[in-house]
Amino acid sequence: MTFEKLENIEKEVQQCKSCPLFATRNNVVFSDGSKNAKIMLIGEAPGADEDKQGKPFVGRAGKLLNEFLIMAGISREEDLYIVNTLKCRPPENRKPTKEEKNACGKFLYAQIEIIKPKIIVLCGATAMESFLDKKFKISKVRGQFFENIEGFKGIKFIPILHPSYLLRQHSTEIGSPRDLTLKDLIMIKKAVLE
Ligand code: URA
């Protein structure tokens, strides 16, 4: 029943023309992973590969995310429900506009309400700014849990660095962005799965 609602929302998204991105999309990118997941991961927006395949995080950044998930012992298929702030690709991979995020937000909020995750991982600054104080710097607040966010009682939010950023940061030394991200993911797994 609940998941039927999710299917209805997906059908609605397929028809959505609430913002101009419908005109340039090849595919809507609705979600990936498990509807029973306790962790929801929210990225920025679909890129070229995601737009082609209709699935989030399947390009270079997605492959790096997969590697980190494996290292942290988190199953992409069973432990995560993966979405983005937008369901359609912004041209040239530019950042989503406020109007696009507002237009798409109703679908994202409906997904959160149905999936009822215990933890929402805000992957990158764009996802973080959709839920937390816009003045926050992701480099400062990554790896911290935020609770009592208005409208999302009972859900813990945690920002992490975006894998697109990690693609440009190769060091795995202690304290490097890659090292910190792995530690954040291990902490998330511990918080919810053990
Ligand atoms: N980057 C994102 O934020 N989301 C995707 O789905 C792919 C790349």
Side-chain angles (χ1 to χ4, degrees):
M1 174 58 191
T2 329
F3 295 150
E4 218 175 282
K5 265 201 230 161
L6 215 48
E7 281 161 27
N8 291 338
I9 296 164
E10 185 165 1
K11 280 186 202 143
E12 208 184 310
V13 177
Q14 300 288 354
Q15 310 297 324
C16 179
K17 294 184 177 176
S18 304
C19 84
L21 297 183
F22 82 91
T24 47
R25 73 179 173 226
N26 288 302
N27 283 294
V28 150
V29 177
F30 189 71
S31 70
D32 196 26
S34 167
K35 300 179 179 79
N36 296 309
K38 295 195 179 97
I39 308 170
M40 182 184 268
L41 182 139
I42 305 179
E44 181 172 306
D49 294 298
E50 291 75 23
D51 175 65
K52 213 181 279 167
Q53 295 185 42
K55 266 189 178 192
F57 284 105
V58 291
R60 278 180 73 221
K63 291 198 169 84
L64 185 60
L65 175 67
N66 291 347
E67 285 176 29
F68 274 81
L69 291 173
I70 290 168
M71 286 190 282
I74 296 174
S75 160
R76 174 168 170 142
E77 293 75 24
E78 289 172 21
D79 300 328
L80 278 192
Y81 184 78
I82 307 177
V83 291
N84 283 302
T85 63
L86 298 187
K87 306 277 183 267
C88 299
R89 181 191 182 202
E92 314 299 328
N93 296 347
R94 64 157 169 73
K95 281 211 179 304
T97 64
K98 207 165 83 194
E99 290 73 25
E100 288 160 359
K101 280 166 103 182
N102 286 343
C104 221
K106 59 181 180 291
F107 299 124
L108 178 58
Y109 298 151
Q111 285 172 300
I112 295 172
E113 194 158 324
I114 294 167
I115 300 296
K116 297 194 192 326
K118 287 199 164 25
I119 292 182
I120 293 184
V121 179
L122 300 168
C123 191
T126 299
M128 182 189 72
E129 286 162 12
S130 294
F131 293 89
L132 305 182
D133 192 326
K134 290 183 181 41
K135 286 189 229 106
F136 283 169
K137 280 246 175 288
I138 190 138
S139 54
K140 291 257 156 58
V141 298
R142 51 131 284 282
Q144 291 180 37
F145 283 110
F146 292 86
E147 296 181 61
N148 301 317
I149 305 297
E150 208 185 321
F152 302 97
K153 246 187 133 204
I155 302 178
K156 289 183 188 173
F157 289 76
I158 178 167
I160 65 166
L161 300 174
H162 196 285
S164 299
Y165 171 68
L166 298 183
L167 280 171
R168 306 188 296 270
Q169 307 289 324
H170 299 285
S171 169
T172 53
E173 271 174 38
I174 292 175
S176 64
R178 285 188 181 226
D179 173 61
L180 294 173
T181 301
L182 180 56
K183 286 178 174 145
D184 291 347
L185 288 170
I186 290 170
M187 182 173 64
I188 290 163
K189 178 187 156 87
K190 279 207 179 114
V192 80
L193 302 174
E194 286 177 358

